[in-house]
Amino acid sequence: MHVSGSVAAGAAVDMTAAAETTINGDVTATSDVSLDAGGDVTISGDVTATAGTLDISTDANLSVSDTLTSGGTMLLDAQLGNIDLTSTSSSSAGGTLTILSGGTLGVAGPLTSFGTTLTASGDAMFSGDVHSAAGALDIDAASLNWSGNAVAGTLDVDLSSGDATIAGDLTIAAAVTIDAAAGTAIDGTVSAGGSVSVASDGISVSGSVDSGLSVTLNSGSSPPPVSRCRSSASS
């Protein structure tokens, strides 16, 4: 499917494609917009679901370089491929925003919603800003390189195999939880109204961590005490 012109509907827009899909033009619906594709999806036009949901699902890769807007929830689903939201992209949802990637997840443009879930089976790289209002910001990935800023009600990061590198400014109204299988480096600012908990194989803080409650930094269990036995020579 190739849309280089414009599509506008007074109700919903429903698109289904067995193979690759390219949207260079603008797609606008008063209610919902949905796209279900069997191949790569490339979007370089504006896609707007004014008062409804926006649902884009593909069995391959998803690349967005323009504006996605929904009055309700938004789902970007590429659980068999990679997702690339380039620096010229912008995704704004009036409800929750859910992004699911089966490979890597790159977010260079801003994300705005009332609750955000970002999931990648591979590495996640965020240089764009994430504004989740008072909602939760949940991130699950193999590793995380985060240089963008974020505002959210709560933050929960769970990394299955790699490092967490945080170089941006994170402003969280309540609790922050970061659990990384490898190391965690906080080079930016983590500011939380609630508690902050970081657990990983190694922890480095060259930036700042500011909590309204407690801060827990756990870089692994303490090693067992060494037993020292004094030997006595036989006379």
Side-chain angles (χ1 to χ4, degrees):
M1 181 185 295
H2 185 199
V3 178
S4 58
S6 62
V7 176
V13 173
D14 186 3
M15 296 174 285
T16 303
E20 179 180 341
T21 299
T22 302
I23 298 177
N24 303 126
D26 295 342
V27 176
T28 305
T30 301
S31 60
D32 303 335
V33 174
S34 66
L35 168 61
D36 190 352
D40 290 345
V41 173
T42 303
I43 298 175
S44 58
D46 294 344
V47 179
T48 304
T50 305
T53 62
L54 175 57
D55 187 337
I56 298 174
S57 299
T58 173
D59 291 337
N61 303 306
L62 171 62
S63 176
V64 179
S65 59
D66 216 314
T67 302
L68 305 179
T69 307
S70 67
T73 62
M74 183 184 300
L75 171 64
L76 306 181
D77 185 351
Q79 295 188 62
L80 298 178
N82 305 312
I83 293 181
D84 182 19
L85 305 180
T86 71
S87 59
T88 56
S89 73
S90 174
S91 302
S92 178
T96 58
L97 169 62
T98 302
I99 300 178
L100 307 173
S101 172
T104 60
L105 172 57
V107 177
L111 305 179
T112 304
S113 70
F114 286 87
T116 306
T117 299
L118 306 174
T119 301
S121 297
D123 300 328
M125 296 144 286
F126 302 157
S127 57
D129 294 344
V130 180
H131 195 292
S132 199
L137 174 54
D138 293 330
I139 300 170
D140 290 274
S143 69
L144 174 62
N145 190 324
W146 196 352
S147 59
N149 304 321
V151 175
T154 60
L155 173 63
D156 190 343
V157 177
D158 191 355
L159 305 180
S160 61
S161 60
D163 296 325
T165 301
I166 298 172
D169 295 333
L170 312 183
T171 304
I172 311 301
V176 171
T177 303
I178 300 172
D179 190 349
T184 296
I186 299 175
D187 303 323
T189 299
V190 177
S191 178
S195 60
V196 174
S197 174
V198 180
S200 64
D201 195 39
I203 296 175
S204 169
V205 180
S206 62
S208 64
V209 177
D210 183 6
S211 168
L213 295 175
S214 61
V215 175
T216 302
L217 304 178
N218 183 356
S219 63
S221 302
S222 299
V226 177
S227 174
R228 292 181 174 83
C229 299
R230 191 185 300 275
S231 62
S232 57
S234 56
S235 51

